[in-house]
Amino acid sequence: MSSSIYVSGDAIVTNHDTMETLPLSSTPRFEPLVAPAGIQVVDPIDGGQFTFLTPEPVETDPAPEDALPVPVDGAVSVDTDVIRTPYLVGVWIRNGEFDLVEQCTGGDQVSLPDGRYVVEFSSVQLKLYLGIDGPATVDATGDLVEFSTPGQSDVVIGLRSYHEQPARTITTTESPHDVMKAISQFRGALKTTSPERSFPTLRGHPPLVEFGEEFSAPGGTRLSPASLSIELPPRWDRILPAAPLSYYLDAELVPGEQAQLHIDGQTVPLVGPDGYEQRLAKILKHVFTLDCVVRTEGLYNVDLHERSVIEEHTDLDLDRLYDLSLAERTQAYLEVPFEAVEPATPEWKLTADVQPDPENVPVLPFLASDLAMIRATGDDDIEPEDLSEASPDVESFFRDGPTMPDRPVLLRGAADVRSKTTSEDSTVAERVFRPDPTDSLMHTFVGDGIPLGATKMTPEMFRRRLEYEPVESDRVRVDVIVNEEAMSDETAVSDVYGTRDWIDFDVTIHSDLTQGELADVFQRDTDFLHYIGHVDDNGFKCSDGYLDVRSLSSVNLSGFLLNACQSYEQGKALVDAGAVGGIVTLANIPNPTATRIGKAIARLLNTGFSIATARSLLENDEQLASRYMVIGDGHTNIVENQSGAPYVINIQEKINGEISLDIWGYPIARISIGGLRSWHSNLFDANYINPTVIEDTQISIEQFNEFMDSENNPLLFNGELSWKSSIDVD
């Protein structure tokens, strides 16, 4: 290993001659607990929390700066010889040289000899470390992990925040050549050019981009020479899609006549049989997947499922590849057939359809950070939704305006709205379209129009992700508003939010609010708002009239669900006024359907899904889910899954006492593509790349029940979204 490498979080970091990530003022809190006894660790930057348990109440003392051999934002020393996690998590144990000596998951117990050890935790919502002295025992044979250090007293607890801000801002003109220079600065955010940059925490956020009268890149002269170059015609439909690949390959964009990649004198065409954008996506996925496999030759020499797949299909010398430069390694990767790597490629996180206009250039740092597949979607690519293929009531809404049903069914729109037809309805219809399908887990659209099945975003909405500050409380605050007595059945969601061990919730139910009272709720700090009631062109129906959110200068909430008819415009107004993201409706919603969907969304959010992945999951079961869409940041969530990133289990069939199933993992903001998924079960003996897909797995009913008892994740059973408590597989 080079002397320029040091340990940071979940991988190694090579010093890069770029600006440091800007420090954040908030520091972690380590709060002693009495009942139960232990220490609660809180990251005030993004609201994450985790609890360590001890046999007796303990106090904390500041730990010396060198107490842990890894950079942390805060650390304390605790006088105890036993410390436990509240539930089963995966742990990696390293010695004083930071070599991996043990990986401990469900069912394991290990004994450690004398020495100093650092424990890393996988699949938790914070980046946590323990410093312990041996001899010690680590026991994960039950439903938690216990660390016992007989004769030793001090245990060090450290935290490093996942949250990271862009280090600088690039100013560019709207000239394509200047924008190409701005994108070429993105690579400076990489914390290493080694294969470990496939870890999400080693891909720093690219600098922001804003427009000005002349090009300016503060700190740009400190960048090392680019590893590669990408030649492109200076056209927006070529420039925008190249940003993620340029960032990940440490490449600069240069204007030219052809779209091609230059590597040490070799030229690789960037237009293939499937076109330009698909070719870029193929190369990015190919290189990224091989990096995830090759990095197992470094500090993370763990059993990786995808490595076994690659070794089955190729005869690559992974150790040799690890030591190559980025250019040499990429060149070697591209000699490997794409079809040999595709079986190991993880599910891709995000596809972004972006209208190729210079005003959308500021979204590129965010999409590059997510390694998104960008498709340049021009006006000619957007056709209004063919309403004849929509469900009858959705078609009627967009073509003719909402009408009263033949039979009295309570809808979540006021009566006067349901009975009228306006010119605005046809305007809405012209704005609605369905983007081309994608295999990615999340789908975003940036431009003019309302995308069915995708998240609507703007450059301002992306910036809001950086500006949001969580509620200054150790509790997750949820407000449930019921402004229609006939819809009170949905208040049961208040029992869903907060049913998570070791996470404190503050759930408040509001009923029959006036305009002023509803405005107060919108403007007070809250993590999530679940609205149940009527919405129409006038705004939210209140006990004394209507509140139009467009009249509010600001709101102070993170996420929301507006479970009411035609709530798109009011939801957009909430995001414009300061909310991060939410779920809205595009049509009338029958009350029984809205209640069912509202409860399902609440349960998915409470399990750790983001608003975007929760809404997309509904399409597997609920025919009317197409009426719902996400506006703003689809990453918005309330809590994180107990195992880190959430997943759903698709039960295919049950034959002769065995269950055939698939497991589909989903990303979240802090656990993006490239992280490791370890299992708290002996069903799987290897780690997987996030987002994880495991197909056609055969297990016994007993194994299935044990697996589901450890975590309450959603199921797809007979095509319907279900939960373990509501199905019988015996």
Side-chain angles (χ1 to χ4, degrees), residues 225-237:
S227 299
L228 316 170
S229 67
I230 298 176
E231 176 189 343
L232 296 176
R235 296 167 17 202
W236 298 121
D237 63 340

Side-chain angles (χ1 to χ4, degrees), residues 173-214:
T173 69
E174 293 190 3
S175 160
H177 291 79
D178 280 350
V179 170
M180 293 174 76
K181 290 197 299 182
I183 294 172
S184 299
Q185 295 285 319
F186 289 6
R187 62 188 183 84
L190 294 174
K191 300 179 182 179
T192 178
T193 56
S194 75
E196 280 85 1
R197 76 190 187 288
S198 55
F199 280 111
T201 53
L202 293 187
R203 301 190 299 269
H205 198 294
L208 299 179
V209 176
E210 65 182 17
F211 290 114
E213 295 182 355
E214 60 182 17

Side-chain angles (χ1 to χ4, degrees), residues 539-675:
F540 292 86
K541 186 179 180 182
C542 300
S543 60
D544 62 345
Y546 288 87
L547 172 67
D548 189 339
V549 176
R550 288 169 289 195
S551 66
L552 302 179
S553 60
S554 64
V555 297
N556 292 312
L557 55 93
S558 174
F560 58 85
L561 165 61
L562 301 186
N563 208 7
C565 290
Q566 313 164 50
S567 60
Y568 173 84
E569 293 294 348
Q570 292 297 308
K572 182 178 183 300
L574 283 174
V575 173
D576 290 342
V580 179
I583 300 176
V584 297
T585 62
L586 294 171
N588 281 350
I589 309 295
N591 192 55
T593 299
T595 298
R596 186 166 62 251
I597 288 179
K599 290 179 179 178
I601 289 175
R603 197 159 187 178
L604 289 168
L605 293 176
N606 194 63
T607 309
F609 286 83
S610 69
I611 58 175
T613 54
R615 196 219 66 84
S616 67
L617 260 180
L618 292 178
E619 292 192 347
N620 291 290
D621 172 37
E622 182 56 63
Q623 180 183 4
L624 304 180
S626 61
R627 303 172 181 180
Y628 289 78
M629 70 168 288
V630 172
I631 186 166
D633 193 348
H635 287 93
T636 305
N637 65 346
I638 302 177
V639 296
E640 292 193 6
N641 187 271
Q642 185 169 297
S643 64
Y647 58 89
V648 62
I649 297 174
N650 177 39
I651 300 177
Q652 296 181 351
E653 58 183 355
K654 183 182 73 170
I655 301 178
N656 299 327
E658 286 200 338
I659 293 176
S660 176
L661 55 81
D662 306 323
I663 298 178
W664 302 329
Y666 287 82
I668 57 175
R670 293 188 210 118
I671 304 178
S672 187
I673 186 168

Side-chain angles (χ1 to χ4, degrees), residues 89-93 102-110 138-140 145:
V89 299
V91 298
W92 294 319
I93 304 169
E102 295 284 355
Q103 182 179 1
C104 192
T105 56
D108 298 328
Q109 180 173 338
V110 299
V138 183
D139 187 350
V145 183

